[in-house]
Amino acid sequence: MPARNFPPDHADIGALKRRAANLRRHMLGMARGQGQGYIGQGLGVADLLAVLYFHELRYDPQSPASRERDRFLLSTGHYSIALWAALAECGVIPLKELSTYGADGSRLDMSTLDTTPGVEMIGGSLGHGLGQGVGQALGLKLDGLPARVFVELSDGEMQEGATWEAAMSASHFGLDNLVALIDCNGIQADGAIVLAMEPIAAKWSAFGWETQEVDGNDIAAIVESLHSARAQSGLPKAVVLRTLPGKGVPTLERREKAHFVRIEPGEWDSLVEEFEHEAANA
């Protein structure tokens, strides 16, 4: 059985909070090295990735391509800064490699490449993650394997027609080994999300998914939602996560345009100080 950090019936919430803080710390270091990056989204999903990689997923950090592993697909490939932080924190890639984020020749690009250990899909073009997740989940069912597939996608990707084709297919095939994790942060490249998407949870339910909606920055709520999603109900599972871009750094939380953030060199010290103050008092 692939290794896991915590047994599935128990979550150490305090430990998961510390992991999430470490992920944010890693991300700030990576973005600081480049002076820019998709840091807003990364900080927003740190709590989700902490729960996934240190509680929910079945995987072996020493054998990330194990056939029995649970799969995590990051459909929003530009969130790679968060995935690199998680893969380093759990031991799939070396921590020291994080300093190469965004550099020429690095495995840690600003969008995911499947040549990096622990990456399940190339995520540069949006709207394709759920379709790939459906294919993988169906393949696991046909092979009789108990592994599950988790697909992170964004509220912006819900404007892609392919997302809904995949959603219909998942319910048609009864893929209860598939969990969609919809990051609803309300932003796109130029500011607020373009199309009115609400009610989001009701849309997924209407497409035949067992749907929950939670605060995506509440670790206990995320743990409980994923615990509920383990039930073999014959339906795919959707968790709508309401996240805050820049979570953990008040200055970034208040930025109107937090999709791709550029920080002046003199600002980094104050941002890191803000984060450490927030983390110490969380």
Side-chain angles (χ1 to χ4, degrees):
M1 177 67 68
R4 68 174 84 215
N5 299 80
F6 293 96
D9 57 349
H10 171 71
D12 185 334
I13 301 299
L16 291 175
K17 287 182 177 179
R18 290 189 290 274
R19 291 290 191 179
N22 282 346
L23 298 189
R24 291 186 169 100
R25 193 171 285 115
H26 297 327
M27 285 184 248
L28 286 168
M30 282 185 274
R32 184 174 193 164
Q34 285 291 315
Q36 60 187 5
Y38 295 97
I39 186 70
Q41 297 97 322
L43 294 173
V45 298
D47 301 300
L48 170 63
L49 265 61
V51 174
L52 284 172
Y53 279 91
F54 298 97
H55 176 63
E56 188 67 26
L57 293 179
R58 295 184 303 175
Y59 70 101
D60 181 352
Q62 303 307 311
S63 183
S66 166
R67 190 165 179 257
E68 296 181 356
R69 74 191 184 283
D70 286 341
R71 278 79 168 162
F72 172 63
L73 280 67
L74 186 75
S75 186
T76 52
H78 57 292
Y79 287 29
S80 66
I81 193 169
L83 183 57
W84 305 146
L87 293 176
E89 180 74 9
C90 73
V92 173
I93 61 175
L95 275 170
K96 64 182 181 181
E97 191 172 355
L98 296 180
S99 64
T100 71
Y101 170 69
D104 290 343
S106 172
R107 296 192 299 178
L108 310 185
D109 207 339
M110 287 193 179
S111 195
T112 49
L113 299 174
D114 61 357
T115 52
T116 308
V119 175
E120 301 286 355
M121 65 169 284
I122 297 172
S125 181
L126 296 177
H128 301 294
L130 191 61
Q132 293 188 49
V134 166
Q136 292 189 25
L138 181 57
L140 290 168
K141 285 274 191 182
L142 293 173
D143 287 344
L145 293 173
R148 294 188 295 160
V149 179
F150 297 79
V151 181
E152 178 277 338
L153 64 152
S154 66
D155 43 9
E157 284 185 288
M158 290 174 57
Q159 299 168 32
E160 302 269 3
T163 296
W164 297 110
E165 293 175 25
M168 285 189 289
S169 298
S171 57
H172 173 78
F173 290 113
L175 300 180
D176 54 9
N177 59 341
L178 175 64
V179 182
L181 304 164
I182 304 103
D183 176 34
C184 295
N185 59 24
I187 63 168
Q188 290 185 267
D190 293 323
I193 198 162
V194 175
L195 298 179
M197 300 305 301
E198 301 297 343
I200 291 174
K203 285 181 171 64
W204 286 88
S205 295
F207 271 71
W209 290 61
E210 187 177 290
T211 307
Q212 305 172 65
E213 183 169 342
V214 301
D215 179 344
N217 296 123
D218 182 333
I219 283 179
I222 298 169
V223 167
E224 180 59 31
S225 69
L226 294 181
H227 177 83
S228 297
R230 291 190 204 118
Q232 300 298 302
S233 64
L235 298 175
K237 319 301 172 61
V239 182
V240 176
L241 300 123
R242 303 289 181 173
T243 63
L244 178 63
K247 178 67 177 177
V249 184
T251 294
L252 296 181
E253 292 176 4
R254 294 190 294 267
R255 287 214 173 191
E256 182 179 354
K257 292 189 177 183
H259 181 73
F260 187 83
V261 176
R262 291 180 174 85
I263 307 295
E264 296 300 320
E267 288 185 84
W268 281 107
D269 286 346
S270 62
L271 293 180
V272 171
E273 287 174 10
E274 278 187 25
F275 163 72
E276 295 295 350
H277 179 267
E278 293 290 311
N281 292 281

